[in-house]
Amino acid sequence: MTRVIAIANQKGGVGKTTSAVNLAASLAVAEQRTLLVDGDPQGNATSGIGIDRESLGTTLYDVLIGEATVDEALHRGVQFRHLDVLPATPDLAGAEVQLVDRESRSELMRQALAPVLDRYDYVLIDCPPSLGLITLNMLAAADALLIPVQCEYYALEGLSQLLNTVHLVQQGVNPRLAIDGVLLTMFDNRLNLSRQVAADAREYFGGKVFQSVIPRNVRLAEAPSFGKPIIVYDVQSIGAQAYLQVAQELIARTPTATTAQPAA
């Protein structure tokens, strides 16, 4: 069965898009059929995976407002044979207004994805850094939530708001939504603060925290400007190896996933 995972945190700058792009790429390298959905109007996942936003025709915006199907907006085999991408541009922000009066407006993403789900092992959705209608649509479409948490001051502040939203989604439109994992990002083992945040997260979330952490890494920060996931830009970097390990953990955590492992 397909695992649909929303990658969300209402706090910006936590490595959410970086994680969506690089985890999707790492799963694709492991021969997991993967769909990356750019659900953020900034469109950074789209450009970060190597798609030129200026040349895009049909996007997620057209899908949500009902003027196109997912099939019509898909880009297939992006960077890897097993990676498809549903791109976004800033037009997506307009969907917030256009969907307000729509019937079942919070379930449009789930309905749009339904016809293509059986083609994929994983669908990763990069959510906006907010808790608006677009994010609600993405959470309603997901089986699970993956929360990136940066190992910096105030890292855990505000997570209660996200967890409250998850609870409301569970009660209202998506009772199956679960928290699949918490991913520690921007980790610097030299800093007491990083180690303390990691310890606090593990105490609060327990086994939901991935054992692998994403370190601060210059190559990881450079890769999006070249439109490449880190395993294409520099597979030997510590950032690339970290995301490959996270993908391995995610596959192991998914009961219905195949047993293929990410290549080093």
Side-chain angles (χ1 to χ4, degrees):
M1 291 176 61
T2 308
R3 190 72 169 163
V4 183
I5 301 172
I7 300 176
N9 190 327
Q10 82 281 4
K11 191 174 186 299
V14 301
K16 177 178 57 61
T17 298
T18 298
S19 295
V21 168
N22 290 300
L23 186 52
S26 298
L27 288 168
V29 165
E31 298 187 350
Q32 302 295 305
R33 300 167 302 162
T34 305
L35 171 61
L36 172 63
V37 177
D38 190 349
D40 187 341
Q42 295 178 84
N44 290 335
T46 298
S47 58
I49 202 67
I51 295 174
D52 180 11
R53 287 179 297 186
E54 300 302 317
S55 65
L56 285 173
T58 307
T59 67
L60 178 58
Y61 166 77
D62 302 288
V63 173
L64 282 180
I65 66 171
E67 293 188 356
T69 65
V70 169
D71 257 327
E72 291 168 334
L74 273 183
H75 287 241
R76 294 174 173 81
V78 179
Q79 301 284 359
F80 307 96
R81 182 164 63 93
H82 292 289
L83 180 59
D84 294 349
V85 179
L86 181 54
T89 64
D91 290 345
L92 181 58
E96 288 268 9
V97 177
Q98 290 177 264
L99 298 180
V100 167
D101 297 324
R102 290 279 295 275
E103 188 177 345
S104 302
R105 61 178 183 261
S106 61
E107 299 178 27
L108 297 172
M109 190 68 204
R110 178 163 59 191
Q111 293 166 3
L113 282 175
V116 303
L117 283 185
D118 60 356
R119 303 180 199 167
Y120 300 104
D121 298 305
Y122 291 94
V123 176
L124 301 187
I125 306 176
D126 183 27
C127 297
S130 66
L131 297 176
L133 184 54
I134 293 177
T135 300
L136 180 59
N137 252 277
M138 304 306 155
L139 295 180
D143 301 309
L145 180 67
L146 191 155
I147 308 172
V149 174
Q150 85 280 30
C151 294
E152 295 180 352
Y153 198 55
Y154 294 137
L156 300 178
E157 188 176 274
L159 273 186
S160 59
Q161 187 181 358
L162 177 62
L163 296 177
N164 285 338
T165 300
V166 171
H167 185 60
L168 291 173
V169 171
Q170 289 170 330
Q171 287 185 317
V173 295
N174 187 2
R176 74 182 186 282
L177 183 66
I179 296 176
D180 243 17
V182 174
L183 179 62
L184 300 173
T185 63
M186 305 177 195
F187 182 82
D188 188 339
N189 195 46
R190 299 168 299 178
L191 302 180
N192 287 334
L193 178 59
S194 278
R195 295 196 297 272
Q196 186 60 55
V197 170
D200 289 346
R202 293 188 192 282
E203 181 179 353
Y204 186 81
F205 289 103
K208 293 187 183 298
V209 181
F210 285 91
Q211 290 301 310
S212 305
V213 299
I214 306 302
R216 282 198 173 277
N217 178 228
V218 172
R219 304 296 276 173
L220 195 55
E222 291 172 348
S225 64
F226 291 89
K228 296 178 179 178
I230 187 62
I231 59 174
V232 174
Y233 183 64
D234 185 357
V235 71
Q236 297 301 324
S237 67
I238 58 171
Q241 295 303 308
Y243 275 110
L244 287 167
Q245 290 167 10
V246 173
Q248 197 167 11
E249 274 194 69
L250 182 60
I251 292 169
R253 288 181 179 204
T254 308
T256 54
T258 60
T259 55
Q261 301 296 323

